[in-house]
């Protein structure tokens, strides 16, 4: 049996916007990372969108900037060539990316200097942190790599 296919010319953007998603522009850096702007506790920052990072993170230097309440953590961070890094945890943060908002977001705090040193070395801007898979999953994120947008479910 041949099934008739509806050839509706709807593209990915229109489809996702109809489904209640919001569209956020991504900027591809010289290091081939996507940069995304986000607001934590009312303060704007610049982040790397990293689907391979299990947790969203902020550098220790962002504790005061983003009004984070930090507590020591037993978790050791690893990534981007560094291992066994001490971390702290900050719970109950307000995160806003475009029109998408979430309260009670937990963020891992760790020393981001190795990440920013690498970015600066490649003529890219240093970042305040990383938006990881935890947030991307909560937001039911869809990334359009070709058009450089991320869509988050409102």
């Amino acid at each position: 049996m041949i099934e008739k296919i509806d050839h509706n010319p709807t593209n990915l953007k229109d489809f996702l916007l109809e489904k209640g998603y919001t569209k956020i522009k991504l900027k591809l850096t010289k290091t081939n990372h996507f940069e995304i702007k986000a607001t934590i506790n009312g303060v704007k920052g610049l982040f790397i969108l990293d689907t391979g990072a299990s947790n969203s993170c902020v550098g220790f230097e962002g504790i005061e900037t983003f009004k984070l309440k930090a507590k020591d953590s037993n978790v050791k961070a690893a990534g981007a060539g560094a291992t066994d890094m001490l971390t702290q945890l900050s719970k109950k943060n307000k995160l806003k990316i475009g029109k998408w908002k979430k309260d009670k977001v937990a963020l891992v705090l760790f020393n981001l200097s190795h990440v920013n040193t690498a970015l600066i070395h490649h003529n890219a801007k240093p970042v305040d942190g990383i938006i990881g898979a935890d947030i991307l999953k909560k937001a039911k994120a869809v990334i359009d790599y070709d058009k450089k947008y991320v869509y988050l479910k409102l």
Side-chain angles (χ1 to χ4, degrees):
M1 183 169 149
I2 298 173
E3 197 176 314
K4 187 177 176 199
I5 298 169
D6 181 12
H7 289 287
N8 186 343
T10 303
N11 59 25
L12 179 66
K13 176 187 78 148
D14 294 338
F15 175 79
L16 290 171
L17 293 177
E18 276 176 24
K19 296 286 182 197
Y21 280 75
T22 184
K23 179 174 93 164
I24 297 106
K25 185 71 179 154
L26 299 171
K27 181 184 173 205
L28 192 63
T29 68
K30 291 179 177 146
T31 56
N32 223 18
H33 291 98
F34 278 131
E35 277 179 357
I36 188 167
K37 291 176 181 164
T39 303
I40 297 173
N41 300 327
V43 181
K44 291 179 183 167
L46 187 63
F47 298 83
I48 288 174
L49 187 75
D50 187 350
T51 60
S54 52
N55 296 296
S56 295
C57 313
V58 173
F60 284 135
E61 52 283 338
I63 291 173
E64 281 185 38
T65 308
F66 295 107
K67 306 169 196 151
L68 304 173
K69 291 183 177 79
K71 291 186 177 164
D72 286 338
S73 165
N74 295 334
V75 177
K76 299 274 194 225
T83 56
D84 281 342
M85 294 181 290
L86 293 172
T87 66
Q88 290 184 315
L89 190 62
S90 177
K91 296 180 179 177
K92 297 182 183 172
N93 297 290
K94 293 179 188 293
L95 177 65
K96 187 171 184 284
I97 304 171
K99 293 178 187 168
W100 184 87
K101 291 189 266 211
K102 191 83 176 160
D103 290 346
K104 299 180 189 164
V105 173
L107 297 166
V108 173
L109 309 172
F110 76 110
N111 185 341
L112 259 185
S113 61
H114 67 287
V115 172
N116 281 325
T117 299
L119 289 170
I120 292 164
H121 183 72
H122 290 92
N123 299 317
K125 287 185 204 161
V127 294
D128 297 299
I130 296 162
I131 301 296
D134 55 342
I135 298 299
L136 298 173
K137 280 169 52 181
K138 277 181 190 152
K140 297 181 168 80
V142 176
I143 301 170
D144 183 338
Y145 286 90
D146 183 47
K147 301 262 193 310
K148 300 181 186 76
Y149 283 101
V150 63
Y151 294 86
L152 306 177
K153 182 93 163 99
L154 292 172

